[in-house]
Amino acid sequence: MEESNRLDLPIRPRRNRKSAAIRELCRESRLSVGNLIYPLFVHDGDRDEAIDSMPGCVRWSLDGLVREVGEAHGLGVRAIVLFPAISAGLKSPDAAESGNDAGLVPRAVRVLKAAYPDLVVITDVALDPYNSDGHDGLVADDGRILNDETVAVLCEQALCHARAGADIVSPSDMMDGRVGEIRAALDAGGFEEVSILAYSAKYASAYYGPFRGALESAPKSGDKKTYQMDPGNSREALREAELDVAEGADMVMVKPAGPYLDIVRAVAEHVDVPVAAYQVSGEYLMIKSAAAAGWLDEKAVVMEALLGIRRAGASVILSYFAKDVARWLA
Ligand code: PBG
C-alpha cells in the first residue's frame, strides 16, 4: 500500500466520507425493499396468536394473514414465504397433509393471490410441519431419514402448492436430488413457470430453535445432522449449490445468513443464479431481545445486519424484520 502519492502528500481516504452525499455516491451495496422476502406463520384458528418463542411474530389466522400482507404490500414488500403451524391431529408419520389441496397452505396461497395478484407467493417444501416425527423427511423404523421416499412426497407437495397458485416453491428439506425431481414433476404437470428457490447450503444450526417453537416442529428424536450441513464446511456448500443449479434451481439459498456470510460470498462467486440468504429466527431473536433490554439500537443494527448480507453477495434476503425495514426505508 502506498502511503503517499507522487507529490509526497499524505493519502486521505476520508475525503470520500466527508458528507452524506459523497458517502452515498461511493456506497457499493444498498438495501432496498425489493430485495426482501417476508416470512409469515399461518395457522388454522380464527385468532391471531403471538408466538412466545419469537416476540413480535404472530401465528396468523387466514384473515389476519391477508391484513398483515396487505400492510407489508402497501409498504412495498412484494414477496412473502409461508410457514404453516399444522394442528397436532393432522400430523402423521407419512405427512399426508402436506399434499392436501384443501390444506392450510393451499388455502392461504389462494386467498393471498386473489387479494394481491402481483404478490410473489413462495411456499416452503419440506415435511417437518406435517410429520409427527418433526423431521424434514420420512423416518424409517430404525430412525434413518429416507431420502428417495421423501423426495416423492415433496414432489406431491410442490405440485399441490403450484395448483394453488404459488409463484415459487422453496424446498428446505436438504434431501439429495429433490430439486431435479421437483422440476421434472412441475414441468410434467404444466407448471413450467413455477420457480424453485432451493435451500442449497442449509446448515444444521442451533439458530433455528425459536422457529421450531413457533411451529411446534422440533424433531421428536435425533437431530437433523444427517441431512442439514455441518457448520465447519464451506466447500460442501459450493457442491450443494452447484448440484441444485444443475438440477434446475432458479435461485439458491444460504441459511442462516449472519454467521455464514463467508458462505454467501463463496456461493455468489461460484454460481450464476441469484443468491438468497435467510436471517433466521435465532438471528432475529438476538437483535430483538437485546433491543428490548435497551442494549442495542434495533433499527440501526437490523439495517447494518441486512446491508452486510447484501454486501456479502446476496440479492435476496429473507427477514422477519422485512415489514419494519420497508417502513424504515420509506
Ligand atoms: C424446516 C425449516 C426450518 C426453518 C425454515 N424451514 C427449521 C429447521 O430446519 O429445523 C428455520 C427458519 C428459522 O429459524 O427462522 N424445513
Side-chain angles (χ1 to χ4, degrees):
M1 273 303 207
E2 49 181 341
E3 275 155 31
S4 59
N5 58 27
R6 289 171 61 198
L7 301 173
D8 218 19
L9 298 170
I11 303 285
R12 297 186 182 277
R14 286 184 53 197
R15 278 198 290 264
N16 284 345
R17 302 177 210 137
K18 71 183 167 190
S19 73
I22 288 177
R23 290 194 294 275
E24 183 94 30
L25 279 179
C26 299
R27 188 168 303 139
E28 297 171 25
S29 298
R30 284 190 166 72
L31 186 61
S32 97
V33 63
N35 298 113
L36 301 175
I37 297 176
Y38 187 18
L40 290 157
F41 300 98
V42 59
H43 76 146
D44 225 338
D46 300 332
R47 242 171 290 159
D48 304 325
E49 292 175 358
I51 298 174
D52 293 339
S53 66
M54 295 179 67
C57 290
V58 173
R59 262 185 302 268
W60 299 103
S61 63
L62 281 182
D63 288 346
L65 180 72
V66 171
R67 267 196 311 279
E68 175 67 6
V69 171
E71 263 186 45
H73 187 263
L75 291 163
V77 175
R78 306 277 284 282
I80 60 114
V81 60
L82 291 173
F83 294 103
I86 300 296
S87 46
L90 290 175
K91 299 191 186 199
S92 61
D94 64 359
E97 180 65 14
S98 62
N100 178 2
D101 284 311
L104 181 57
V105 167
R107 276 183 284 136
V109 171
R110 287 192 197 95
V111 294
L112 288 173
K113 288 302 286 186
Y116 315 106
D118 69 335
L119 181 73
V120 178
V121 175
I122 306 167
T123 57
D124 192 66
V125 174
L127 303 186
D128 50 314
Y130 304 95
N131 182 322
S132 38
D133 302 296
H135 276 287
D136 293 35
L138 301 172
V139 185
D141 291 340
D142 62 3
R144 279 178 312 123
I145 308 299
L146 299 167
N147 194 89
D148 299 6
E149 293 82 347
T150 297
V151 171
V153 182
L154 297 173
C155 287
E156 291 308 316
Q157 186 181 19
L159 282 169
C160 166
H161 296 172
R163 284 191 293 271
D167 298 286
I168 303 180
V169 295
S170 191
S172 68
D173 56 289
M174 289 299 280
M175 297 301 119
D176 291 335
R178 89 285 204 209
V179 171
E181 294 292 328
I182 290 172
R183 184 70 271 159
L186 288 172
D187 280 37
F191 298 110
E192 49 284 288
E193 288 195 3
V194 173
S195 320
I196 299 177
L197 163 56
Y199 287 66
S200 298
K202 177 171 178 180
Y203 286 86
S205 172
Y207 287 83
Y208 308 150
F211 173 98
R212 294 178 190 168
L215 297 189
E216 289 167 9
S217 63
K220 295 284 178 296
S221 67
D223 53 40
K224 299 192 174 186
K225 292 180 183 168
T226 68
Y227 45 107
Q228 299 181 349
M229 281 179 46
D230 189 304
N233 293 349
S234 71
R235 293 164 61 246
E236 190 180 5
L238 305 184
R239 186 172 190 229
E240 286 281 5
E242 213 173 282
L243 281 169
D244 286 353
V245 172
E247 290 175 30
D250 299 284
M251 307 176 202
V252 295
M253 194 195 299
V254 174
K255 174 184 178 187
Y260 294 85
L261 292 182
D262 57 325
I263 308 298
V264 173
R265 164 56 52 201
V267 168
E269 283 174 2
H270 198 71
V271 298
D272 52 12
V273 298
V275 175
Y278 197 147
Q279 183 189 49
V280 300
S281 56
E283 298 176 76
Y284 168 82
L285 204 65
M286 288 194 304
I287 298 176
K288 258 309 199 220
S289 51
W295 293 333
L296 278 181
D297 175 340
E298 178 170 342
K299 173 179 169 183
V301 169
V302 169
M303 297 303 259
E304 185 176 333
L306 298 188
L307 184 60
I309 296 168
R310 291 274 295 137
R311 191 190 59 241
S315 352
V316 180
I317 302 175
L318 295 89
S319 171
Y320 300 101
F321 292 111
K323 196 176 88 174
D324 301 319
V325 172
R327 199 178 302 113
W328 295 331
L329 285 172

